[in-house]
Amino acid sequence: MSTRHSPPTTGKAAKPGLHSLGLDTLKDGLLYVPKGYDPGKPAALAVMLHGSGGDASQGIRLLQRYADVHNLLLIAPASRKYSWDIVASNSFGVDVLMVDQALAQVFAHYAIDPNKVAIGGFSDGASYALCLGLTNGDLFTHIIAFSPGFSYTMETHGSPSVFLSHGTQDGVLPIDRCGRKIQKDLRDQGRNVHYLEFKGEHEIPAQVSAAAVDWFLK
């Protein structure tokens, strides 16, 4: 990814609410601008990635309920295939470009707090968030991974903080080989990890998403 945080270069910001990013005619991403957005008060930003078989609306819904209260601007790209390219094609490709373009667009139009730039997701989206977040830790300050399956990087930059949650009864991505292994590997690397296990399946309970937002914005 080449995009990095920069002050907005145009005042043409969309009104508060949900908007298409306008990056693709078939599988476009979404942007949510919080109510009361004020360019004089830089917003926190979270790029949220859907799970396998999901779409941009799923990504937006992961944290949308918290956006207005916390001045949180959300981006939700959509994968080109059924899941993100590293999962569907075993390589990084056009999905990285879509995330990059979405970020460039938002930075050009909105005032964003450089200390509050997160990438996150659920399931395959959480795995992809870890991959991109750790690789681009000089851009992303935080990573929010709800029930990820893996974390893969060829190189890393920066030192983003990581929020990781997983259900103890997850039958899709079992906690022992996924959540618990990932948090151990990250801590062995010296990463700052906030790890939260909950009694549940492959899901995001409301108290878990609320804890993630509190952690991100504290």
Side-chain angles (χ1 to χ4, degrees):
M1 293 175 54
S2 60
T3 300
R4 292 295 180 265
H5 178 273
S6 60
T9 56
T10 174
K12 296 180 180 180
K15 295 180 180 179
L18 191 62
H19 307 273
S20 295
L21 284 170
L23 297 175
D24 188 271
T25 57
L26 296 177
K27 295 187 72 175
D28 199 10
L30 294 172
L31 165 71
Y32 185 81
V33 181
K35 294 178 181 178
Y37 166 76
D38 179 352
K41 299 177 181 178
L45 171 65
V47 180
M48 299 305 295
L49 309 176
H50 63 75
S52 178
D55 56 18
S57 63
Q58 184 197 73
I60 283 288
R61 288 196 302 270
L62 295 176
L63 298 183
Q64 186 176 4
R65 73 184 78 175
Y66 309 104
D68 293 336
V69 173
H70 295 287
N71 192 30
L72 174 60
L73 194 147
L74 301 173
I75 302 174
S79 63
R80 301 301 88 193
K81 296 183 179 180
Y82 70 92
S83 189
W84 303 96
D85 48 25
I86 192 63
V87 178
S89 305
N90 200 34
S91 64
F92 294 108
V94 68
D95 288 337
V96 179
L97 180 61
M98 292 296 292
V99 175
D100 206 29
Q101 291 177 336
L103 282 164
Q105 182 181 118
V106 167
F107 286 145
H109 295 283
Y110 299 90
I112 302 298
D113 183 347
N115 297 309
K116 298 295 180 184
V117 180
I119 186 167
F122 171 64
S123 192
D124 279 4
S127 300
Y128 204 54
L130 285 165
C131 295
L132 295 185
L134 294 171
T135 302
N136 298 277
D138 48 349
L139 166 62
F140 297 110
T141 58
H142 297 74
I143 302 170
I144 302 172
F146 299 120
S147 304
F150 66 91
S151 174
Y152 170 76
T153 57
M154 292 187 66
E155 60 181 67
T156 62
H157 299 275
S159 54
S161 297
V162 180
F163 179 97
L164 178 63
S165 67
H166 218 105
T168 56
Q169 298 164 325
D170 193 329
V172 178
L173 296 172
I175 190 170
D176 283 337
R177 65 177 175 83
C178 296
R180 287 173 179 165
K181 182 180 185 304
I182 292 169
Q183 66 91 18
K184 181 181 183 304
D185 290 345
L186 293 176
R187 284 176 172 163
D188 286 347
Q189 296 168 20
R191 300 281 178 183
N192 179 9
V193 181
H194 182 91
Y195 180 58
L196 177 60
E197 292 187 3
F198 60 91
K199 187 177 181 180
E201 301 181 357
H202 198 57
E203 58 186 319
I204 312 172
Q207 69 268 24
V208 172
S209 58
V213 171
D214 288 343
W215 167 86
F216 172 39
L217 299 177
K218 66 180 180 180

